[in-house]
Amino acid sequence: MGDGQDRKRHIKAPPRSLAREHREASQGYRAKVFWLTGPSGAGKSTIAHRVEQLLFDDGYFGLAVLDGDRMRGGLCSDLGFSPEARHENIRRVAHVGRLFLEHGILCLCAFISPYRADRANAADIVGAGDFREIYVSCPQAVCEERDCKGFYELARKGVIKNYTGVSAPYEEPEDPALVIRTDELAIEESAEALRRFICKETRIDSP
């Protein structure tokens, strides 16, 4: 433990030959991390991937989408769903988002991320000026009715433990940059609302 901490003090990232600002000036938009949070079944990943296509059509070519299934299938495959494991999952995702940011890549992160403290930590890692919290809001009953993956049913039966909304809490954002109510809006309407918000937030020629 002590040896590892000692080594950390000597780690220094090499200087970049191509600064983030140069990439952003070339592409015409600023890189930011847009963090979509909300209960399972609210539509976070579906919206993120649809917005990715819409932004690409708008000329945003440096894009990345991170979601729970992909991260837990790889980088975070060693983690469970306890509060401590969820904290580590979000910490890793935030660092990946920051790496994309440093290379001028706009990043959409779609994660339940149920705890406010973990989302605040993610914002600290990314940098508050580059982090936008998007609340994909949907009533619990509607999410359970959708249950596209069948997880709510399994959680209600006790097969899945620590499931957000059933046996684990979800803490709603207190001051999100944008709220998208997917029980009131269709996927296309939700995606368009987020696309407009992102363009306003990132276009270099925007006021």
Side-chain angles (χ1 to χ4, degrees):
M1 185 71 170
D3 180 56
Q5 292 298 324
D6 184 63
R7 289 186 184 184
K8 284 183 180 180
R9 288 197 294 268
H10 298 284
I11 293 174
K12 181 179 290 188
R16 298 189 182 281
S17 59
L18 186 58
R20 168 185 167 183
E21 292 75 15
H22 295 156
R23 296 175 189 266
E24 291 177 333
S26 176
Q27 62 199 18
Y29 59 88
R30 300 180 183 88
K32 290 186 185 296
V33 170
F34 294 88
W35 193 282
L36 282 67
T37 178
S40 178
K44 301 176 297 298
S45 293
T46 301
I47 292 170
H49 286 287
R50 180 59 185 138
V51 169
E52 179 186 30
Q53 181 63 59
L54 293 174
L55 290 173
F56 185 85
D57 294 343
D58 279 345
Y60 285 69
F61 301 129
L63 297 167
V65 175
L66 302 176
D67 64 38
D69 290 341
R70 284 177 171 78
M71 293 299 290
R72 285 188 174 274
L75 180 62
C76 300
S77 62
D78 59 319
L79 299 175
F81 291 89
S82 67
E84 296 77 16
R86 289 179 185 273
H87 171 82
E88 176 60 15
N89 181 56
I90 296 307
R91 188 192 71 82
R92 294 181 192 181
V93 172
H95 276 287
V96 173
R98 179 177 173 177
L99 288 173
F100 278 124
L101 192 70
E102 290 172 354
H103 286 81
I105 297 172
L106 188 152
C107 191
L108 295 159
C109 297
F111 293 85
I112 296 173
S113 43
Y115 299 113
R116 293 190 190 105
D118 291 344
R119 299 193 299 267
N121 185 52
D124 287 342
I125 291 169
V126 170
D130 290 318
F131 184 96
R132 298 292 182 272
E133 185 180 49
I134 313 299
Y135 180 27
V136 182
S137 171
C138 188
Q140 183 70 32
V142 176
C143 291
E144 291 203 39
E145 184 179 333
R146 293 172 179 172
D147 202 13
C148 50
K149 298 177 182 177
F151 290 163
Y152 277 111
E153 182 179 0
L154 293 174
R156 290 293 179 192
K157 292 178 178 178
V159 177
I160 296 178
K161 308 296 182 183
N162 298 318
Y163 197 73
T164 303
V166 178
S167 51
Y170 178 79
E171 298 173 356
E172 296 184 359
E174 295 179 322
D175 188 26
L178 178 69
V179 178
I180 300 174
R181 304 185 187 281
T182 61
D183 59 319
E184 300 175 0
L185 299 174
I187 288 298
E188 283 299 319
E189 294 173 309
S190 299
E192 178 58 22
L194 181 53
R195 184 199 69 82
R196 289 197 303 267
F197 177 77
I198 290 174
C199 289
K200 179 181 177 182
E201 288 283 310
T202 60
R203 284 294 188 189
I204 286 178
D205 58 0
S206 64

